[in-house]
CSV table of all heavy atoms in Angstrom, one decimal:
chain,number,residue,atom,x,y,z
O,1,LYS,N,20.4,-1.4,0.8
O,1,LYS,CA,19.4,-2.3,0.3
O,1,LYS,C,18.0,-2.0,0.7
O,1,LYS,O,17.0,-2.2,-0.1
O,1,LYS,CB,19.8,-3.8,0.7
O,1,LYS,CG,21.2,-4.2,0.4
O,1,LYS,CD,21.4,-4.4,-1.1
O,1,LYS,CE,22.8,-4.8,-1.5
O,1,LYS,NZ,23.1,-6.2,-1.2
O,2,LEU,N,17.8,-1.6,1.9
O,2,LEU,CA,16.5,-1.2,2.4
O,2,LEU,C,16.0,0.1,1.7
O,2,LEU,O,14.7,0.3,1.5
O,2,LEU,CB,16.5,-1.0,3.9
O,2,LEU,CG,16.8,-2.3,4.7
O,2,LEU,CD1,16.9,-1.9,6.2
O,2,LEU,CD2,15.9,-3.4,4.5
O,3,MET,N,16.9,1.0,1.3
O,3,MET,CA,16.5,2.2,0.7
O,3,MET,C,16.6,2.1,-0.8
O,3,MET,O,16.4,3.1,-1.6
O,3,MET,CB,17.4,3.4,1.2
O,3,MET,CG,17.1,3.7,2.6
O,3,MET,SD,18.0,5.2,3.2
O,3,MET,CE,19.6,4.5,3.5
O,4,SER,N,16.8,0.9,-1.3
O,4,SER,CA,16.8,0.7,-2.8
O,4,SER,C,15.4,0.8,-3.3
O,4,SER,O,14.4,0.6,-2.7
O,4,SER,CB,17.3,-0.7,-3.1
O,4,SER,OG,17.1,-1.1,-4.4
O,5,ARG,N,15.3,1.2,-4.6
O,5,ARG,CA,14.0,1.2,-5.3
O,5,ARG,C,13.8,0.0,-6.2
O,5,ARG,O,13.1,0.0,-7.1
O,5,ARG,CB,13.9,2.5,-6.1
O,5,ARG,CG,13.8,3.8,-5.3
O,5,ARG,CD,13.2,4.9,-6.0
O,5,ARG,NE,13.1,6.1,-5.2
O,5,ARG,CZ,12.3,7.2,-5.5
O,5,ARG,NH1,11.7,7.1,-6.7
O,5,ARG,NH2,12.3,8.2,-4.8
O,6,VAL,N,14.5,-1.1,-5.8
O,6,VAL,CA,14.3,-2.3,-6.5
O,6,VAL,C,13.7,-3.4,-5.5
O,6,VAL,O,14.3,-3.5,-4.4
O,6,VAL,CB,15.6,-2.8,-7.1
O,6,VAL,CG1,15.4,-4.2,-7.8
O,6,VAL,CG2,16.2,-1.8,-8.1
O,7,TYR,N,12.7,-4.0,-5.9
O,7,TYR,CA,12.1,-5.1,-5.1
O,7,TYR,C,12.6,-6.5,-5.6
O,7,TYR,O,12.6,-6.8,-6.7
O,7,TYR,CB,10.6,-5.0,-5.2
O,7,TYR,CG,9.9,-6.3,-4.6
O,7,TYR,CD1,10.0,-6.5,-3.2
O,7,TYR,CD2,9.2,-7.2,-5.4
O,7,TYR,CE1,9.4,-7.6,-2.6
O,7,TYR,CE2,8.6,-8.3,-4.8
O,7,TYR,CZ,8.7,-8.5,-3.4
O,7,TYR,OH,8.1,-9.6,-2.9
O,8,ASP,N,13.1,-7.3,-4.6
O,8,ASP,CA,13.5,-8.6,-4.9
O,8,ASP,C,12.9,-9.5,-3.8
O,8,ASP,O,13.4,-9.6,-2.7
O,8,ASP,CB,15.0,-8.7,-5.0
O,8,ASP,CG,15.6,-10.1,-5.4
O,8,ASP,OD1,14.8,-11.0,-5.4
O,8,ASP,OD2,16.7,-10.2,-5.7
O,9,GLY,N,11.9,-10.3,-4.2
O,9,GLY,CA,11.3,-11.2,-3.2
O,9,GLY,C,11.8,-12.6,-3.1
O,9,GLY,O,11.2,-13.4,-2.4
O,10,ALA,N,12.9,-12.8,-3.8
O,10,ALA,CA,13.5,-14.2,-3.8
O,10,ALA,C,14.2,-14.6,-2.5
O,10,ALA,O,14.7,-13.7,-1.8
O,10,ALA,CB,14.5,-14.3,-4.9
O,11,PRO,N,14.1,-15.8,-2.1
O,11,PRO,CA,14.8,-16.3,-0.9
O,11,PRO,C,16.3,-16.5,-1.1
O,11,PRO,O,16.7,-17.6,-1.5
O,11,PRO,CB,14.1,-17.6,-0.6
O,11,PRO,CG,13.6,-18.1,-1.9
O,11,PRO,CD,13.3,-16.9,-2.7
O,12,LYS,N,17.0,-15.5,-0.9
O,12,LYS,CA,18.5,-15.6,-1.0
O,12,LYS,C,19.2,-14.5,-0.1
O,12,LYS,O,18.5,-13.6,0.3
O,12,LYS,CB,18.9,-15.4,-2.5
O,12,LYS,CG,18.4,-14.1,-3.2
O,12,LYS,CD,18.6,-14.1,-4.7
O,12,LYS,CE,18.1,-12.9,-5.3
O,12,LYS,NZ,18.3,-12.9,-6.8
O,13,PRO,N,20.4,-14.7,0.2
O,13,PRO,CA,21.1,-13.8,1.1
O,13,PRO,C,21.1,-12.3,0.6
O,13,PRO,O,21.0,-12.0,-0.5
O,13,PRO,CB,22.5,-14.4,1.2
O,13,PRO,CG,22.4,-15.8,0.7
O,13,PRO,CD,21.3,-15.8,-0.3
O,14,LEU,N,21.3,-11.5,1.6
O,14,LEU,CA,21.3,-10.0,1.3
O,14,LEU,C,22.4,-9.7,0.3
O,14,LEU,O,22.1,-8.8,-0.6
O,14,LEU,CB,21.6,-9.3,2.7
O,14,LEU,CG,21.6,-7.7,2.6
O,14,LEU,CD1,20.1,-7.3,2.4
O,14,LEU,CD2,22.2,-7.1,3.8
O,15,THR,N,23.5,-10.3,0.3
O,15,THR,CA,24.6,-9.9,-0.6
O,15,THR,C,24.2,-10.2,-2.0
O,15,THR,O,24.9,-9.6,-3.0
O,15,THR,CB,25.9,-10.7,-0.3
O,15,THR,OG1,25.6,-12.1,-0.3
O,15,THR,CG2,26.4,-10.3,1.1
O,16,GLN,N,23.3,-11.0,-2.3
O,16,GLN,CA,22.9,-11.4,-3.7
O,16,GLN,C,21.6,-10.6,-4.1
O,16,GLN,O,21.1,-10.9,-5.2
O,16,GLN,CB,22.6,-12.9,-3.8
O,16,GLN,CG,23.8,-13.8,-3.4
O,16,GLN,CD,23.4,-15.2,-3.4
O,16,GLN,OE1,22.5,-15.6,-4.1
O,16,GLN,NE2,24.1,-16.0,-2.6
O,17,LYS,N,21.2,-9.6,-3.3
O,17,LYS,CA,19.9,-8.9,-3.7
O,17,LYS,C,20.2,-7.4,-3.9
O,17,LYS,O,21.0,-6.8,-3.2
O,17,LYS,CB,18.9,-9.1,-2.5
O,17,LYS,CG,18.6,-10.5,-2.1
O,17,LYS,CD,17.5,-10.6,-1.1
O,17,LYS,CE,16.2,-10.7,-1.9
O,17,LYS,NZ,15.1,-11.0,-1.0
O,18,PRO,N,19.5,-6.9,-4.9
O,18,PRO,CA,19.6,-5.4,-5.2
O,18,PRO,C,18.8,-4.6,-4.2
O,18,PRO,O,19.1,-3.4,-4.1
O,18,PRO,CB,19.1,-5.3,-6.6
O,18,PRO,CG,18.2,-6.4,-6.8
O,18,PRO,CD,18.7,-7.5,-6.0
O,19,GLY,N,17.9,-5.2,-3.6
O,19,GLY,CA,17.0,-4.5,-2.6
O,19,GLY,C,16.5,-5.5,-1.6
O,19,GLY,O,16.4,-6.7,-1.9
O,20,ALA,N,16.1,-5.0,-0.4
O,20,ALA,CA,15.7,-5.8,0.6
O,20,ALA,C,14.5,-5.2,1.4
O,20,ALA,O,14.3,-4.0,1.3
O,20,ALA,CB,16.8,-6.1,1.6
O,21,THR,N,13.8,-6.0,2.1
O,21,THR,CA,12.7,-5.6,3.0
O,21,THR,C,13.0,-6.1,4.4
O,21,THR,O,13.7,-7.0,4.6
O,21,THR,CB,11.3,-6.1,2.6
O,21,THR,OG1,11.3,-7.5,2.5
O,21,THR,CG2,11.0,-5.5,1.2
O,22,LEU,N,12.4,-5.4,5.4
O,22,LEU,CA,12.6,-5.7,6.8
O,22,LEU,C,11.3,-5.8,7.5
O,22,LEU,O,10.4,-5.0,7.3
O,22,LEU,CB,13.5,-4.7,7.5
O,22,LEU,CG,14.4,-5.2,8.6
O,22,LEU,CD1,15.4,-6.2,8.1
O,22,LEU,CD2,15.2,-4.0,9.2
O,23,GLY,N,11.1,-6.9,8.3
O,23,GLY,CA,9.9,-7.1,9.1
O,23,GLY,C,10.2,-6.9,10.6
O,23,GLY,O,11.2,-6.4,11.0
O,24,MET,N,9.2,-7.3,11.3
O,24,MET,CA,9.3,-7.1,12.8
O,24,MET,C,8.7,-8.4,13.5
O,24,MET,O,7.7,-8.9,13.0
O,24,MET,CB,8.5,-5.9,13.2
O,24,MET,CG,8.5,-5.6,14.7
O,24,MET,SD,7.4,-4.3,15.2
O,24,MET,CE,8.1,-2.9,14.4
O,25,ALA,N,9.3,-8.8,14.5
O,25,ALA,CA,8.8,-9.9,15.3
O,25,ALA,C,9.0,-9.6,16.8
O,25,ALA,O,10.1,-9.9,17.3
O,25,ALA,CB,9.4,-11.3,14.9
O,26,MET,N,8.0,-9.1,17.5
O,26,MET,CA,8.2,-8.7,18.9
O,26,MET,C,7.2,-9.4,19.8
O,26,MET,O,7.6,-9.8,20.9
O,26,MET,CB,8.0,-7.2,19.0
O,26,MET,CG,9.0,-6.3,18.4
O,26,MET,SD,9.0,-4.6,19.1
O,26,MET,CE,7.4,-4.0,18.6
O,27,THR,N,6.0,-9.6,19.4
O,27,THR,CA,4.9,-10.0,20.3
O,27,THR,C,5.1,-11.5,20.7
O,27,THR,O,5.4,-12.3,19.8
O,27,THR,CB,3.5,-9.8,19.6
O,27,THR,OG1,3.4,-8.5,19.2
O,27,THR,CG2,2.4,-10.2,20.6
O,28,GLU,N,4.9,-11.8,22.0
O,28,GLU,CA,4.9,-13.1,22.4
O,28,GLU,C,3.6,-13.4,23.2
O,28,GLU,O,2.8,-12.5,23.6
O,28,GLU,CB,6.1,-13.4,23.4
O,28,GLU,CG,7.4,-13.2,22.6
O,28,GLU,CD,8.6,-13.6,23.5
O,28,GLU,OE1,8.4,-14.1,24.6
O,28,GLU,OE2,9.8,-13.4,23.0
O,29,LYS,N,3.3,-14.7,23.3
O,29,LYS,CA,1.9,-15.1,23.9
O,29,LYS,C,1.6,-14.4,25.2
O,29,LYS,O,0.5,-13.9,25.5
O,29,LYS,CB,1.8,-16.6,24.0
O,29,LYS,CG,1.9,-17.3,22.7
O,29,LYS,CD,1.9,-18.8,22.9
O,29,LYS,CE,2.1,-19.6,21.6
O,29,LYS,NZ,2.1,-21.1,21.8
O,30,GLN,N,2.6,-14.5,26.1
O,30,GLN,CA,2.4,-14.1,27.5
O,30,GLN,C,2.4,-12.6,27.7
O,30,GLN,O,1.9,-12.2,28.8
O,30,GLN,CB,3.4,-14.8,28.4
O,30,GLN,CG,4.8,-14.2,28.3
O,30,GLN,CD,5.6,-14.6,27.1
O,30,GLN,OE1,5.2,-15.5,26.4
O,30,GLN,NE2,6.7,-13.9,26.8
O,31,GLY,N,2.9,-11.8,26.7
O,31,GLY,CA,3.1,-10.4,27.0
O,31,GLY,C,2.3,-9.5,26.2
O,31,GLY,O,1.8,-8.4,26.6
O,32,GLY,N,2.1,-9.8,24.9
O,32,GLY,CA,1.4,-8.9,24.0
O,32,GLY,C,2.1,-7.5,23.9
O,32,GLY,O,3.3,-7.5,23.6
O,33,SER,N,1.5,-6.4,24.2
O,33,SER,CA,2.1,-5.1,24.2
O,33,SER,C,3.2,-5.0,25.3
O,33,SER,O,4.0,-4.1,25.1
O,33,SER,CB,1.0,-4.0,24.3
O,33,SER,OG,0.1,-4.1,23.2
O,34,ASP,N,3.1,-5.8,26.3
O,34,ASP,CA,4.1,-5.7,27.4
O,34,ASP,C,5.3,-6.5,27.0
O,34,ASP,O,5.5,-7.6,27.4
O,34,ASP,CB,3.5,-6.2,28.7
O,34,ASP,CG,4.4,-6.1,29.8
O,34,ASP,OD1,5.5,-5.5,29.7
O,34,ASP,OD2,4.1,-6.7,30.9
O,35,VAL,N,6.1,-5.9,26.1
O,35,VAL,CA,7.3,-6.6,25.5
O,35,VAL,C,8.3,-6.9,26.6
O,35,VAL,O,9.2,-7.8,26.4
O,35,VAL,CB,7.9,-5.9,24.4
O,35,VAL,CG1,6.9,-5.8,23.2
O,35,VAL,CG2,8.4,-4.5,24.8
O,36,ARG,N,8.3,-6.2,27.7
O,36,ARG,CA,9.3,-6.5,28.7
O,36,ARG,C,9.1,-7.9,29.3
O,36,ARG,O,10.0,-8.5,30.0
O,36,ARG,CB,9.3,-5.5,29.8
O,36,ARG,CG,9.8,-4.1,29.3
O,36,ARG,CD,9.9,-3.1,30.4
O,36,ARG,NE,10.2,-1.7,29.9
O,36,ARG,CZ,11.3,-1.3,29.5
O,36,ARG,NH1,12.4,-2.1,29.6
O,36,ARG,NH2,11.5,-0.1,29.0
O,37,ALA,N,7.9,-8.5,29.1
O,37,ALA,CA,7.6,-9.9,29.6
O,37,ALA,C,8.1,-10.9,28.6
O,37,ALA,O,7.9,-12.1,28.8
O,37,ALA,CB,6.1,-10.0,29.8
O,38,ASN,N,8.8,-10.5,27.5
O,38,ASN,CA,9.3,-11.5,26.5
O,38,ASN,C,10.3,-12.5,27.1
O,38,ASN,O,11.1,-12.1,28.0
O,38,ASN,CB,10.0,-10.7,25.3
O,38,ASN,CG,9.0,-10.1,24.4
O,38,ASN,OD1,7.8,-10.1,24.7
O,38,ASN,ND2,9.5,-9.6,23.3
O,39,THR,N,10.2,-13.7,26.6
O,39,THR,CA,11.1,-14.8,27.2
O,39,THR,C,12.1,-15.3,26.2
O,39,THR,O,12.9,-16.1,26.6
O,39,THR,CB,10.2,-15.9,27.7
O,39,THR,OG1,9.5,-16.5,26.6
O,39,THR,CG2,9.3,-15.5,28.8
């Protein structure tokens, strides 16, 4: 789904989509680039 050449921006489960995108959520207030400080 991530390597698909079809974009589907609808809010629905992966099984119902021909293509998918993936994001990232790492940073926290107290650590920034120091991710080992994540809580």
Side-chain angles (χ1 to χ4, degrees):
K1 302 291 179 78
L2 299 177
M3 291 185 283
S4 168
R5 292 200 178 196
V6 179
Y7 168 68
D8 184 347
K12 53 189 179 182
L14 183 73
T15 56
Q16 300 176 26
K17 305 188 88 170
T21 59
L22 209 61
M24 182 190 292
M26 290 200 296
T27 306
E28 297 185 7
K29 295 176 183 177
Q30 73 285 348
S33 296
D34 182 9
V35 294
R36 295 186 186 279
N38 283 8
T39 61

